[in-house]
Amino acid sequence: MAINGSLLDSTPPQANPRLPPVIEWVQLDSVAIPGEREPMRLMQRGHEFKICVGSIELMSNRECTSEAALATLTCTRLQDRPRAKILIGGLGMGFTLRAALTAMGPDARIVVAELVPAVVAWARGPLSHVFEGSLDDPRVEVREDDVKRVIQQVPADYDAILLDVDNGPEGLTRPENDRLYDVWGLKRARYALRPNGILAVWSGSPDRKFKARLQNTGFEVDEIRLRSNGTSGRRHVLWLATHAKGSSAPFAWPAAPGSARVEGNAQAGSRLGRSFAKAGMHSALTPSKRT
C-alpha cells in the first residue's frame, strides 16, 4: 500500500547475514544448595559452560587461568617432596585439579572435597570433555564432603591445601563458607598442614583484612594478582601462605596468632620469580610484595 509515495511493508526485517547468529544460554541442570535460596545451575551456550547461583556466575570454561595458576604455583614449591599429598577444596570445572596433576609426579596423592554431589555428576557427564579424564587418574580421590570437615579430620596430613570456594574470603553464596577463612578456619588449615605446608587461596578480589589474618595466624604470605584470562579479564588474587617449619608443633593445635616473618623485597621477588619461571607464567602474573 502506498502512502504519500512510500510503501508500507509488513514483512519483518531480515537478520544481517554478516552477523553471527545469537546463541542463547540453555540450562542443562539445576540443584538445590544447603542453606541457599537460589539453586545452582549448569548452563551452556555453544561451547561455553558456566555454573551459577541466581545471577552470580561462579565459574566458567572461558576464564580459567587463575584457577590453574592456583595449583601450578603451589605445586612448583612441592617438587622436592616425595609422595606429596594435596587437598583441593571445591571441584568446580576441574582446572585446578588438572593443573595439579600436570605439575605433580606419579607418587603424589590429590584429594578433592566437593560439597555438592551434582557438581561431581556434571564432571562425569556434560562436562566430561572439560575434565579430560582427570577424575579417573589413580592419584585422585574425590570426597563428596564439606572441605571444612575434611581439613579437621587428621593433623599434619597435607603438604598443600588449595581453596577455591565461594569466590574466596568474601563469600557470595553460603555464609557457612566464611568459616573457612576466619581466624579459626585458618588455624584449622594450619593444623592440617605438614611443616612448610602451603595454604593456597583463590579470590575474586583483593582483601587486605584476609591477608593480615593469614599473617596473624602465623603464615608467611605471598600475594599474587593476575588476570582471569592471563593477560585480560577480571583481576583475581592468589595467596600462597606457608606454614613455616618449627612455627608450631605438628600434632598440636596451632599456637596463638603471631606475626609473620618479614622478608626483604628482593628476596621475596626472587622467590616468586623462580616460581613463575618454573610455571612458565611470566606474562600472566603480577606478584605484589610480601609483607
Side-chain angles (χ1 to χ4, degrees):
M1 182 175 74
I3 299 179
N4 295 330
S6 64
L7 293 177
L8 295 180
D9 190 353
S10 59
T11 305
Q14 299 297 312
N16 189 336
R18 297 183 179 179
L19 297 177
V22 176
I23 303 176
E24 300 292 337
W25 284 102
V26 176
Q27 178 174 302
L28 300 182
D29 195 13
S30 67
V31 61
I33 307 176
E36 183 65 29
R37 294 182 179 179
E38 297 282 352
M40 178 180 285
R41 297 179 294 147
L42 175 63
M43 309 290 292
Q44 179 181 9
R45 181 176 66 182
H47 297 293
E48 298 178 53
F49 293 85
K50 67 179 180 179
I51 296 175
C52 54
V53 174
S55 60
I56 301 172
E57 180 180 304
L58 300 180
M59 65 205 75
S60 76
N61 64 335
R62 300 188 314 276
E63 299 179 342
C64 57
T65 297
S66 60
E67 287 86 348
L70 180 70
T72 303
L73 293 176
T74 301
C75 292
T76 57
R77 301 185 179 192
L78 304 178
Q79 294 301 313
D80 59 345
R81 304 191 194 188
R83 298 179 296 279
K85 186 177 181 181
I86 299 172
L87 171 63
I88 298 177
L91 178 60
M93 290 191 173
F95 297 111
T96 301
L97 172 60
R98 285 170 50 194
L101 288 170
T102 299
M104 298 306 294
D107 61 346
R109 181 184 174 193
I110 301 175
V111 178
V112 181
E114 173 54 54
L115 178 66
V116 183
V119 173
V120 181
W122 296 341
R124 297 190 183 279
L127 296 178
S128 59
H129 65 290
V130 177
F131 278 80
E132 297 182 350
S134 56
L135 295 184
D136 299 321
D137 191 295
R139 295 172 290 175
V140 176
E141 175 190 354
V142 178
R143 300 183 188 175
E144 295 181 2
D145 199 353
D146 192 326
V147 67
K148 296 193 299 295
R149 194 157 37 238
V150 176
I151 286 174
Q152 296 179 62
Q153 288 174 349
V154 182
D157 197 31
Y158 297 101
D159 292 286
I161 298 173
L162 283 58
L163 297 179
D164 180 5
V165 178
D166 200 3
N167 210 51
E170 291 294 329
L172 295 177
T173 57
R174 301 179 70 240
E176 293 86 350
N177 288 331
D178 293 342
R179 298 173 187 169
L180 270 173
Y181 304 110
D182 64 15
V183 171
W184 286 106
L186 296 180
K187 285 185 177 182
R188 292 184 186 101
R190 191 162 171 257
Y191 174 68
L193 288 169
R194 295 167 180 168
N196 293 320
I198 300 169
L199 173 63
V201 180
W202 182 98
S203 177
S205 61
D207 190 326
R208 291 183 180 179
K209 291 182 179 179
F210 178 70
K211 181 179 179 182
R213 201 178 306 143
L214 281 167
Q215 294 167 333
N216 291 334
T217 312
F219 285 103
E220 298 174 1
V221 183
D222 287 325
E223 181 181 275
I224 304 162
R225 302 190 183 193
L226 64 163
R227 297 290 184 179
S228 59
N229 248 350
T231 57
S232 63
R234 294 171 291 180
R235 190 177 293 277
H236 294 162
V237 179
L238 308 179
W239 292 284
L240 302 187
T242 303
H243 170 17
K245 184 176 181 180
S247 61
S248 66
F251 288 93
W253 190 259
S259 300
R261 179 168 60 88
V262 177
E263 278 196 38
N265 292 340
Q267 183 178 350
S270 175
R271 180 177 176 180
L272 282 172
R274 289 195 296 271
S275 294
F276 299 154
K278 290 180 182 179
M281 305 180 74
H282 300 276
S283 62
L285 303 172
T286 305
S288 64
K289 298 177 181 177
R290 171 185 287 181
T291 55

